[in-house]
Amino acid sequence: MHEIILHHYPTSPFAEKARLMMGFKQLSWRSVQIPPVMPKPDLTALTGGYRRTPVLQIGADVYCDTALMARRLEAEKNIPALFPEGQEFVAATLAQWADSVLFLHAVSLVFQPESMAMRFAQVPKEFVQVFSKDRAALFSGGSVARIPLEQAKNHWPVLMARLQQQLARGEGEFLFGNAPCIADFSIAHCLWFLKGTPVTAPLVDDYPEIQAWLGKVLGVGHGSLSELSAEDALKIAREADPAPLPAESFFEPNGFRAGQQVAISAVDYGTDPVEGELVFAGVEELILRREDERAGVVHVHFPRIGYRIDAR
């Protein structure tokens, strides 16, 4: 069995979601620190150009997007469950909403000038300029735009009131019972992002019930981790073979065939395409085979929802 490797950086909200999911599963994993901005040559050798954070690696299999990582971690260890039995649809749908709508509101609020000034108070001005250009490129060419700050401020009390109501009326300490699930982690990472500076922390702290719930979710921790170099992660991929393809039937409603050269890209933001051979298309998952001189032959996995396939 290959070790679980997470390529991430400390202040990434989606990386925090992945770290919490591994803590919830009580998994041991290896931590590879990546740059917060492009270029990311070591990561690109594994992914073929996917630019979003984090990325999960298991041997020569590389998983993009925390929505798919959650399903891979569920396969790794199914108890405790990220997708509670009988509530899989509502939990996954709420998580998808949080990772898109709620996250974009959090981004707008975090990126307001007063908040960013505090976040980058001790950072060289040159890096701030690079970071700003990188994030502008991240949202260029996708189907979503940043929510105007005034709109995010206007919506935020509604979103928090609805969450507060759900927590008050639900059964158990969490959104779907007495244990956190994928929906809890997807909402929590957005609020964790806001807690990063005194400017935005009151947007969470002003709701005591939500703050208490968030403390319980974050309290699951990050599991047991140890550091790994990017070079060693590439060596692990190079010396491994990709896992066997899922037993599920190949299903591609737009007519793409197994063995066809395609590009897969996110549709909302971070739309940089990854090219390779389409080897699997299932109900939830798409897999590309690609080869890199540093990483060897790898299978790059994407969720179907939120991604598109184009012929090459």
Side-chain angles (χ1 to χ4, degrees):
M1 293 291 291
H2 294 290
E3 294 179 301
I4 297 171
I5 302 169
L6 188 71
H7 299 257
H8 65 126
Y9 60 89
T11 57
S12 162
F14 278 99
E16 179 64 9
K17 175 186 172 185
R19 294 186 292 255
L20 289 170
M21 290 193 296
M22 288 191 285
F24 174 63
K25 294 284 189 182
Q26 298 182 343
L27 294 170
S28 298
W29 54 282
R30 308 301 301 274
S31 168
V32 177
Q33 298 289 321
I34 64 172
V37 297
M38 297 294 280
K40 305 176 184 181
D42 296 324
L43 188 64
T44 298
L46 285 169
T47 66
Y50 179 80
R51 63 173 293 152
R52 286 152 66 159
T53 303
V55 167
L56 187 74
Q57 176 191 350
I58 301 178
D61 286 86
V62 178
Y63 297 84
C64 302
D65 201 295
T66 56
L68 185 61
M69 291 176 204
R71 296 185 181 277
R72 179 61 184 85
L73 294 176
E74 195 84 329
E76 186 76 13
K77 186 178 181 183
N78 62 1
I79 297 175
L82 286 166
F83 300 88
E85 185 176 356
Q87 297 174 313
E88 295 91 342
F89 174 77
V90 288
T93 301
L94 181 53
Q96 184 185 345
W97 172 85
D99 285 344
S100 53
V101 176
L102 188 64
F103 174 69
L104 289 174
H105 280 78
V107 166
S108 179
L109 294 163
V110 166
F111 276 66
Q112 61 183 292
E114 296 84 359
S115 173
M116 294 304 288
M118 295 196 72
R119 282 180 177 268
F120 290 114
Q122 306 300 321
V123 176
K125 290 182 179 180
E126 295 77 11
F127 177 79
V128 176
Q129 294 173 347
V130 170
F131 182 87
S132 298
K133 289 181 179 178
D134 181 85
R135 291 309 186 264
L138 184 68
F139 282 89
S140 175
S143 62
V144 302
R146 286 190 182 172
I147 297 172
L149 178 59
E150 296 76 11
Q151 185 178 337
K153 286 182 175 180
N154 186 50
H155 289 176
W156 194 254
V158 180
L159 302 177
M160 291 297 95
R162 291 177 179 178
L163 175 58
Q164 193 164 245
Q165 182 183 60
Q166 177 65 30
L167 290 170
R169 296 184 179 178
E171 297 182 1
E173 297 181 303
F174 299 95
L175 289 169
F176 292 96
N178 290 316
C181 70
I182 185 64
D184 294 271
F185 296 121
S186 295
I187 293 175
H189 81 86
C190 300
L191 305 189
W192 172 87
F193 197 26
L194 290 166
K195 293 274 285 182
T197 74
V199 174
T200 51
L203 296 167
V204 179
D205 296 344
D206 287 349
Y207 301 88
E209 296 87 349
I210 293 175
Q211 186 181 12
W213 161 83
L214 179 63
K216 294 172 187 174
V217 178
L218 299 181
V220 305
H222 295 162
S224 176
L225 65 139
S226 58
E227 296 296 324
L228 182 72
S229 71
E231 200 59 50
D232 284 343
L234 285 168
K235 181 181 179 183
I236 288 170
R238 192 169 57 247
E239 293 179 352
D241 294 320
L245 296 175
E248 182 184 346
S249 298
F250 189 99
F251 172 68
E252 213 311 292
N254 290 308
F256 292 99
R257 306 177 308 279
Q260 187 172 352
Q261 291 296 313
V262 301
I264 296 179
S265 56
V267 299
D268 48 6
Y269 60 90
T271 60
D272 307 58
V274 177
E275 298 186 7
E277 177 191 348
L278 182 65
V279 293
F280 178 77
V283 172
E284 292 278 355
E285 183 180 19
L286 306 169
I287 304 177
L288 284 186
R289 180 191 184 277
R290 53 178 310 278
E291 189 167 357
D292 180 272
E293 64 178 25
R294 297 180 66 200
V297 174
V298 295
H299 281 178
V300 187
H301 302 241
F302 301 88
R304 186 185 284 277
I305 289 183
Y307 290 76
R308 59 178 292 168
I309 309 175
D310 293 293
R312 280 294 184 262

